[in-house]
Amino acid sequence: MQASERIYPAVVGQMAEAIRDAQGREVLFVGRIDSEGRVRAIVVAARGDESSVPALGPHMEKGDVVLHNHPGGNLRPSRADLGIASDLGSRGIGFFIVDNQVDSLYIVAEPIQAKEKRPLREEELAGILEPGGMLARKMADYEARESQIQMLRFTARAFNEGGIAIAEAGTGVGKSLAYLIPALAWVCQNDERVVISTATINLQEQLMDKDIPLVRKLLGKDVPAVLVKGRGNYLCRTRLQEALEEKTFFDENASALEDLGAWSRETPTGSRSDLPFVPGEGLWSQVCSEADACLGLRCAQREKCFLLKARREAAAARILVVNHHLLFADLSLRVHGMGFDTTAVLPPFRKIVFDEAHNIENSATSFFSENLSRLMVHRAMGRLLRSKGPTRGGILPKMEGIAGVPAASAEKIPALIAAARAAAESLEAATLPLVMATGNFRLTEDSAEAAEEALFRMRALQQNLLDLAENLAVLLNGLSEEDQERPEAYETRMMIKRIEEMAGVCGDFRAYGEKPERIFWIERKPTGTGSVFVNYVSTPLSIGGLMREAVYEPFDTLVFTSATLTINKDFRFWKSRLGLNGEEGARGEIFESPFDYKGRVLFGVPGDAPPPESETYGEFLADFVRQAILAAEGGALVLFTSYSLLKKTSAAVRPALEQAGITLFCQGDGERSRLLRGFTAEVSSVLFATDSFWEGVDAPGDTLRMVIICRLPFRVPTDPVLLARMEAIRRQGGNPFVELSLPEAVMKFKQGFGRLMRRTADRGVVLVTDGRIVTKNYGGLFISSLPETRRSMKSAASLMEDVENFLAKPSGRPGPATA
């Protein structure tokens, strides 16, 4: 058969070119077919030798076709071909053989064409959650929630009709089941993969351990679901082996390194979360899987690779639970050339549910930012060459052992490595004065003069890195064709790419004026060992264009959900931040919380609180917080926007709390998870916390009876990304406070308020000590964005009486709290 009968001409040309690039050796392609059964697109999945090529399961989907060439021109399938075709055919994947010119074609097995999509039966799925439905029959204490049922219908319509659906689901709606039931039902009916993306590991674990198993039971289907983690969570056997062989460089971690070696021989997953001990960050970074250090097909440990095993499990699954950052890593690869029909970080998919969608802008901004630091340069240089006394390790010594490597060029490399290290040190020394006072510095036309010396030294670092990359390339150029395929040669190519990327960040900083779509800024960060380092960051000014290219346009169905997506019941702010305001057909609905906020929550503001910026505010706050916590007998979460104010307030109230037998946990005294465990385990304890604790704290019942918000959560006006985005709004004739600062603060305020009520039976008090919520015109926007509660806005003394009376009422309907 002529290949052109089943393969489009453009694809024939791509295949022939790939085979020529492989010097006529065997190449394995994965093809996508159209409705007529013709191959419309291909991706090169693997390359082999003159007689064989590896078959890579994670690249292949039902309905795909695997194509590979027979260099000798005889298209008759070998025994190995027939075995592979049989395995693939059982999964609905076809198998074609072509000659090197892609003129002739032999069909060993036809792919199974994708079936027409079967729409979800909305009424049937809603019935699962209705009174007397399947869930009620499985859970004796189940109470149907109309808002949850309506959200399930909304999500099911989104899966059937496609497009963009936005659902704000108040606390207690049960949004996880409302989207999981349609998602798993869609998988069952259409065998089409769905990605569930979240911001936090807590929600991922809840989905995997509790919600998805429940939905499987409700549907009576064992839908395969996998929690997909980033590669840095997995041990790399090759890097571990190198570390064990170079134990001289790990004196302080020698024991932990040996423990990792023993664990690697027993663990079935290689996942860091399964470790029976906690290795130091420095040690784990030396042995975990990294894209820059991955040898891929050239790795001798490939068949035992923990990451590859996890990716195979993901390929076999139909529900993938991921975090936002990992999803954006996948989407970035697709946008930059891999396309949306093949495996990138994740296997291909067409539908995404974004939970905790209020975090998407931050997650996307973080992922699409580019970073450079002294530590990154030193780490890369250490990968190339590390020495301790007479012992040398790294890529360079391995390259020097290959015949054909120019000795003169290799001798230059150590000096170039040392020069790059020195240039990074020099750059940081010149930059530190810019960030010592405020912690950050934004590079603009107005500030460029102050950064002149730093930019001059950045130019030197850029040149040092480029010189090093050029000389490493000379080492490769001297290798034979066969040696070019050696693992150490591949590692060198990867390092050249990484070094050039770092040089590229330097070049972008120096050309900051030519890149108005980026924000260039510098920050001072702690190293974790008591010292600091400087981080150079290039951040996108807006993520709207990136979201459109990577998310809105390529995918069939997108569901965004969170408890906080609106300001005063309006989605416009959240949509504007994600570039969604211009998207036709983006449907948004609000599903109200079923909780009795009016009967079970008192919202109070002390009317005599001094302004937060006044000198007397700190003293007032400490006295008010002390009285409130004593009135509640603990069980309080106190949220700050400033770590310094947290420390001052905690120092002032600690003696009184200790005397009352109330344990005080403070952010900074330990890891977040340990603080939360301690707080939730001890009913009378209190937790003082800042930024990250405004969300993700789930402490139902008596553990949390009071939330105190010490200041409206406006971001500090020195934040370089915030400043740049505010200036962009001003240049377009807008009001940056009204369009960005205020709604952003309201969204975070809603998150903080939401920490109190987590279950139907919860009750308690939310106190806001920032008087601007009642004295400023914009204060009403904060209050109107909350559920309706009982309110008390009086003097601190009178408010405290209302708090004591409210907390003393055992019933769900406390006595009145008058204004």
Side-chain angles (χ1 to χ4, degrees):
M1 177 186 292
Q2 291 295 308
S4 58
E5 294 179 44
R6 294 294 299 271
I7 308 174
Y8 281 96
V11 177
V12 167
Q14 293 169 18
M15 292 176 65
E17 183 179 357
I19 293 168
R20 285 195 299 272
D21 289 344
Q23 286 84 46
R25 299 185 180 98
E26 289 204 28
V27 180
L28 183 141
F29 305 90
V30 176
R32 296 285 186 267
I33 61 173
D34 63 12
S35 58
E36 298 176 357
R38 297 180 72 189
V39 179
R40 60 178 174 80
I42 54 100
V43 62
V44 176
R47 297 174 182 86
D49 55 26
E50 288 77 4
S51 60
S52 63
V53 65
L56 306 179
H59 286 274
M60 305 166 195
E61 293 285 302
K62 182 177 180 180
D64 289 346
V65 59
V66 171
L67 308 95
H68 84 103
N69 58 307
H70 278 191
N74 181 354
L75 303 192
R76 181 176 297 175
S78 66
R79 286 185 179 275
D81 288 334
L82 292 173
I84 293 170
S86 175
D87 177 60
L88 295 175
S90 67
R91 294 156 51 196
I93 299 169
F95 191 79
F96 296 178
I97 301 173
V98 298
D99 59 359
N100 274 15
Q101 293 72 39
V102 200
D103 292 329
S104 301
L105 171 71
Y106 185 89
I107 298 175
V108 183
E110 288 281 6
I112 296 176
Q113 293 274 17
K115 297 178 182 177
E116 186 176 341
K117 297 295 184 288
R118 295 168 53 202
L120 298 175
R121 293 184 287 274
E122 186 181 315
E123 292 299 323
E124 182 178 309
L125 295 181
I128 294 173
L129 299 181
E130 288 175 348
M134 179 69 73
L135 188 53
R137 294 196 295 273
K138 287 187 176 293
M139 298 175 62
D141 58 348
Y142 172 72
E143 292 183 8
R145 287 163 281 184
E146 184 60 28
S147 54
Q148 184 184 45
I149 296 169
Q150 292 307 316
M151 182 177 165
L152 182 150
R153 294 176 182 273
F154 179 71
T155 307
R157 285 196 296 275
F159 272 80
N160 285 340
E161 299 170 7
I164 300 171
I166 308 164
E168 180 176 79
T171 306
V173 165
K175 58 182 168 58
S176 299
L177 290 187
Y179 64 70
L180 283 174
I181 290 174
L184 270 70
W186 182 269
V187 167
C188 293
Q189 290 184 197
N190 297 293
D191 194 27
E192 189 174 70
R193 190 175 288 110
V194 178
V195 168
I196 313 290
S197 183
T198 80
T200 62
I201 188 64
N202 288 345
L203 179 54
Q204 292 165 29
E205 291 174 346
Q206 175 191 316
L207 294 174
M208 292 300 300
D209 299 341
K210 176 185 173 186
D211 296 337
I212 290 176
L214 174 58
V215 175
R216 284 173 175 152
K217 292 178 182 177
L218 294 174
L219 297 177
K221 301 287 186 179
D222 189 18
V223 179
V226 169
L227 173 60
V228 185
K229 303 175 185 178
R231 66 162 61 237
N233 288 281
Y234 294 96
L235 182 73
C236 172
R237 291 184 185 274
T238 297
R239 299 189 75 202
L240 174 63
Q241 182 179 327
E242 290 178 353
L244 288 168
E245 291 171 356
E246 298 177 351
K247 279 189 289 188
T248 306
F249 301 108
F250 296 91
D251 285 350
E252 66 277 16
N253 291 307
S255 177
L257 187 60
E258 292 288 353
D259 291 341
L260 278 171
W263 176 71
S264 72
R265 293 186 289 273
E266 300 171 357
T267 174
T269 67
S271 174
R272 186 179 186 180
S273 61
D274 295 339
L275 266 169
F277 60 95
V278 181
E281 282 297 328
L283 175 60
W284 182 255
S285 69
Q286 296 293 324
V287 298
C288 68
S289 177
E290 283 189 348
D292 290 345
C294 182
L295 298 177
L297 294 172
R298 298 161 182 81
C299 183
Q301 304 271 11
R302 180 175 178 79
E303 291 307 312
K304 297 190 292 181
C305 175
F306 293 121
L307 177 67
L308 189 58
K309 179 184 178 184
R311 294 296 183 258
R312 285 174 180 144
E313 292 171 354
R318 286 297 174 262
I319 295 289
L320 304 182
V321 178
V322 305
N323 65 37
H324 295 333
H325 194 273
L326 183 68
L327 177 60
F328 283 118
D330 175 88
L331 298 178
S332 177
L333 289 174
R334 298 183 185 282
V335 167
H336 290 100
M338 293 199 71
F340 291 83
D341 290 328
T342 189
T343 295
V345 176
L346 304 174
F349 52 96
R350 305 304 306 171
K351 299 182 184 295
I352 310 174
V353 177
F354 288 93
D355 202 341
E356 299 178 313
H358 61 281
N359 276 310
I360 290 176
E361 183 183 17
N362 289 339
S363 296
T365 296
S366 172
F367 180 80
F368 289 109
S369 292
E370 297 174 347
N371 296 265
L372 177 70
S373 70
R374 164 181 57 87
L375 299 184
M376 290 171 64
V377 174
H378 280 223
R379 190 174 176 190
M381 298 306 103
R383 287 270 307 283
L384 283 170
L385 178 64
R386 45 191 176 269
S387 58
K388 191 169 187 180
T391 306
R392 299 168 81 238
I395 298 171
L396 181 60
K398 290 187 285 186
M399 284 291 292
E400 290 172 343
I402 303 176
V405 169
S409 298
E411 290 171 0
K412 295 179 183 177
I413 302 297
L416 292 170
I417 291 173
R421 287 179 179 272
E425 298 275 0
S426 174
L427 171 60
E428 181 166 279
T431 310
L432 270 172
L434 300 176
V435 296
M436 286 308 294
T438 61
N440 61 60
F441 176 89
R442 183 161 68 99
L443 186 58
T444 65
E445 290 184 2
D446 294 336
S447 68
E449 185 175 350
E452 188 174 351
E453 180 62 25
L455 289 174
F456 176 77
R457 298 194 191 187
M458 187 168 273
R459 177 185 178 186
L461 174 58
Q462 180 185 11
Q463 191 58 55
N464 283 128
L465 292 170
L466 291 174
D467 288 345
L468 176 57
E470 182 179 345
N471 277 269
L472 287 171
V474 171
L475 299 189
L476 290 174
N477 292 338
L479 297 182
S480 66
E481 185 177 308
E482 183 178 351
D483 285 338
Q484 289 280 0
E485 297 301 316
R486 292 175 62 136
E488 46 267 60
Y490 182 76
E491 282 187 275
T492 303
R493 283 194 290 273
M494 296 290 286
M495 282 307 302
I496 290 172
K497 181 174 179 286
R498 183 74 191 99
I499 291 167
E500 288 175 342
E501 287 173 351
M502 291 191 293
V505 176
C506 294
D508 287 346
F509 258 83
R510 294 178 54 227
Y512 70 93
E514 301 169 14
K515 299 180 180 294
E517 74 283 2
R518 307 287 295 187
I519 306 164
F520 293 91
W521 55 289
I522 306 165
E523 62 178 337
R524 185 186 73 238
K525 298 184 74 173
T527 61
T529 58
S531 60
V532 298
F533 71 98
V534 175
N535 191 35
Y536 306 84
V537 191
S538 166
T539 294
L541 182 62
S542 168
I543 66 162
L546 295 168
M547 290 291 292
R548 190 171 300 108
E549 182 181 13
V551 181
Y552 309 143
E553 293 176 355
F555 292 98
D556 299 336
T557 301
L558 299 167
V559 177
F560 297 90
T561 186
S562 169
T564 50
L565 295 178
T566 66
I567 305 293
N568 196 18
K569 302 187 183 303
D570 192 323
F571 287 101
R572 278 180 297 178
F573 169 70
W574 178 84
K575 289 171 70 176
S576 72
R577 300 311 306 159
L578 268 66
L580 261 174
N581 276 339
E583 292 294 324
E584 294 291 332
R587 309 180 298 276
E589 283 196 27
I590 298 172
F591 302 93
E592 301 287 356
S593 170
F595 291 164
D596 178 19
Y597 282 95
K598 192 169 184 179
R600 307 189 73 85
V601 176
L602 172 66
F603 179 79
V605 181
D608 52 354
E613 66 275 8
S614 69
E615 293 182 0
T616 58
Y617 179 72
E619 183 179 347
F620 168 86
L621 179 66
D623 186 57
F624 182 86
V625 167
R626 176 184 55 79
Q627 291 184 57
I629 291 174
L630 292 175
E633 298 179 352
L637 172 65
V638 186
L639 295 171
F640 296 82
T641 59
S642 159
Y643 188 67
S644 61
L645 184 59
L646 181 156
K647 297 299 286 183
K648 291 176 183 176
T649 308
S650 64
V653 305
R654 189 181 294 274
L657 299 187
E658 288 179 348
Q659 187 174 357
I662 296 172
T663 302
L664 171 58
F665 295 100
C666 284
Q667 184 176 351
D669 291 347
E671 290 182 345
R672 174 190 167 95
S673 58
R674 187 179 67 81
L675 290 175
L676 285 176
R677 283 197 300 271
F679 174 59
T680 55
E682 193 170 341
V683 173
S684 64
S685 65
V686 296
L687 174 60
F688 284 26
T690 60
D691 191 53
S692 65
F693 287 80
W694 284 69
E695 59 180 282
V697 176
D698 190 3
D702 288 341
T703 299
L704 184 55
R705 304 180 292 280
M706 176 179 287
V707 173
I708 304 176
I709 296 176
C710 299
R711 192 162 184 163
L712 297 179
F714 290 102
R715 259 204 287 175
V716 292
T718 57
D719 183 298
V721 176
L722 177 65
L723 280 173
R725 289 174 172 171
M726 291 176 71
E727 289 173 9
I729 293 171
R730 192 177 293 113
R731 284 195 300 270
Q732 295 168 4
N735 184 323
F737 177 76
V738 172
E739 295 178 35
L740 181 57
S741 297
L742 176 58
E744 190 177 73
V746 172
M747 295 279 270
K748 188 159 189 172
F749 181 78
K750 288 176 67 177
Q751 283 288 331
F753 175 90
R755 295 313 93 208
L756 180 69
M757 287 286 289
R758 309 305 298 172
R759 304 291 186 274
T760 304
D762 290 351
R763 66 188 304 272
V765 177
V766 178
L767 301 173
V768 180
T769 59
D770 189 335
R772 292 177 295 177
I773 199 167
V774 292
T775 62
K776 296 291 185 180
N777 290 335
Y778 58 74
L781 192 61
F782 286 88
I783 296 174
S784 64
S785 294
L786 300 178
E788 187 177 354
T789 65
R790 303 189 72 78
R791 295 181 186 173
S792 177
M793 299 181 182
K794 305 176 178 178
S795 67
S798 298
L799 172 58
M800 207 57 63
E801 291 181 14
D802 283 348
V803 169
E804 291 174 350
N805 291 334
F806 183 89
L807 293 175
K809 296 282 183 180
S811 68
R813 293 278 178 187
T818 56

